[in-house]
Amino acid sequence: MDIKWLEDFLSLTQTRNFSRSAQERNVTQSALSRRIRALEAWVGADLVDRSTYPLVLTPAGKLFSSSATDAMRLLNDARSLLRIESKDENMLSISAGHTLSLNFLPKWLGAIEARHGPLRTRVLPANVHDSVLSLVEGNCDLLLCYYHSDLPIELDPARFEFINLGGEIVMPVSIPKRSGFAAFPLPGNRLAPTSHLAYTAGSFFARVVERIVARVDQPCFLTNTYESDLAELLKTMALSGHGLAWLPESCIKRELSEGKLVAAGGEQWNMTMEIRLFRALDNRKPALQRLWDTLKQP
């Protein structure tokens, strides 16, 4: 049972509306519905009556609502106490996407330590939604993420600030044929769609790919043959010759230089993403302020 399911359910008991709760929880309505269904499966009973509008709790839902409220209060009280007792002013926790954690963060930390001196860091790999939530709820000191104006990260500039650490291209790649051209090229054709190693629907990179395809003024014919949230898994499948995948350049730098992967389309199929580092303005941890001052130096 995922604690987020409890938080989703308690939001639903207040709003009595899936759409409003999905907005409040910063997830899609379909994702929220799936999570409530998963909670009901775990409990073993229907918790909400979906035949009415606004929805109402079933008798089991009313009983479980009271228990869930008490459980969340106890968990949050315990977490707050433990966070105070275990607080380490010299340790910086960084929440980051899996791809950035693997391919960007280690080299970036090495370069920063050369200027700043040794750092004590704890890296918390997570998806974009959970990373942002971690910063908002004060569970990390720094958020490292990709950013694009078409896919903004909604953080209040009155509460959070960021530093741009550079950029990275997301591009479609494939194993090459003997000729050197991509074995799975874009845009494909209607009769023989190109095999596509896709990101799971709703994930950040799935939205990136959707935006790229939508803005290219050319029909694109793809058939999804494999799906994953993780770019590293899609890279493995691409190297095994299962199709094309859109991947961040840092993830495939070596494979491109060695010719194991090649571009599967022209530059119109690429998107350049910013890499941003966010922090909360009310976080007064001295180690964080010293690092931020170093980062702001030219």
Side-chain angles (χ1 to χ4, degrees):
M1 202 278 289
D2 192 324
I3 194 172
K4 291 184 179 62
W5 301 350
L6 288 181
E7 295 169 334
D8 294 339
F9 174 67
L10 291 176
S11 170
L12 201 57
T13 64
Q14 297 297 315
T15 66
R16 303 298 175 97
N17 184 287
F18 273 95
S19 179
R20 284 165 54 195
S21 281
Q23 186 175 15
E24 181 180 281
R25 297 288 295 148
N26 196 27
V27 296
T28 63
Q29 187 171 332
S30 60
L32 179 72
S33 180
R34 287 195 300 271
R35 279 153 51 160
I36 295 298
R37 289 286 191 191
L39 178 62
E40 290 175 321
W42 182 84
V43 172
D46 290 338
L47 301 176
V48 296
D49 184 349
R50 296 168 174 81
S51 66
T52 63
Y53 185 85
L55 62 81
V56 297
L57 299 180
T58 64
K62 293 176 182 178
L63 178 63
F64 187 73
S65 173
S66 176
S67 299
T69 300
D70 291 342
M72 287 304 304
R73 177 179 55 78
L74 290 171
L75 288 170
N76 285 326
D77 288 349
R79 184 183 70 164
S80 297
L81 179 61
L82 290 170
R83 286 175 63 186
I84 291 172
E85 291 181 349
S86 63
K87 195 171 184 180
D88 185 343
E89 292 294 329
N90 294 314
M91 177 72 73
L92 295 178
S93 57
I94 306 172
S95 187
H98 294 90
T99 299
L100 287 170
S101 298
L102 286 170
N103 301 301
F104 176 83
L105 190 57
K107 292 181 180 179
W108 177 78
L109 281 175
I112 291 302
E113 286 185 327
R115 294 169 49 197
H116 176 82
L119 288 168
R120 294 184 61 202
T121 56
R122 179 186 298 116
V123 181
L124 311 171
N127 60 44
V128 173
H129 172 266
D130 290 347
S131 293
V132 173
L133 193 62
S134 182
L135 182 68
V136 170
E137 294 183 345
N139 294 328
C140 69
D141 299 304
L142 294 162
L143 164 65
L144 181 67
C145 62
Y146 290 112
Y147 179 90
H148 192 277
S149 58
D150 289 348
L151 303 163
I153 302 295
E154 300 293 345
L155 286 170
D156 184 356
R159 295 180 54 205
F160 304 94
E161 66 175 338
F162 72 89
I163 292 176
N164 187 338
L165 302 182
E168 177 163 34
I169 295 173
V170 177
M171 60 186 295
V173 294
S174 158
I175 59 169
K177 297 187 292 186
R178 287 189 175 183
S179 62
F181 294 104
F184 300 93
L186 288 169
N189 65 73
R190 192 183 304 275
L191 297 178
T194 298
S195 295
H196 177 213
L197 308 173
Y199 293 96
T200 306
S203 66
F204 178 76
F205 277 121
R207 294 167 59 208
V208 170
V209 174
E210 287 172 3
R211 187 69 191 93
I212 292 172
V213 172
R215 74 181 186 182
V216 175
D217 187 21
Q218 184 178 8
C220 184
F221 303 98
L222 301 172
T223 180
N224 292 355
T225 55
Y226 181 81
E227 292 186 2
S228 174
D229 284 341
L230 300 177
E232 290 293 331
L233 286 180
L234 296 187
K235 181 178 81 171
T236 298
M237 293 296 288
L239 286 168
S240 298
H242 292 283
L244 74 83
W246 267 271
L247 297 169
E249 195 171 16
S250 64
C251 176
I252 51 175
K253 189 173 182 179
R254 175 181 296 178
E255 288 76 14
L256 289 173
S257 65
E258 294 176 351
K260 294 179 180 178
L261 292 173
V262 296
E267 292 185 359
Q268 71 271 28
W269 299 101
N270 299 349
M271 179 179 280
T272 300
M273 313 291 295
E274 290 182 38
I275 299 175
R276 289 187 175 185
L277 189 70
F278 286 87
R279 74 154 187 174
L281 291 169
D282 61 1
N283 188 333
R284 305 298 182 185
K285 185 180 285 189
L288 175 61
Q289 188 58 54
R290 290 194 296 271
L291 173 61
W292 208 255
D293 291 341
T294 298
L295 293 173
K296 283 190 171 182
Q297 294 173 4

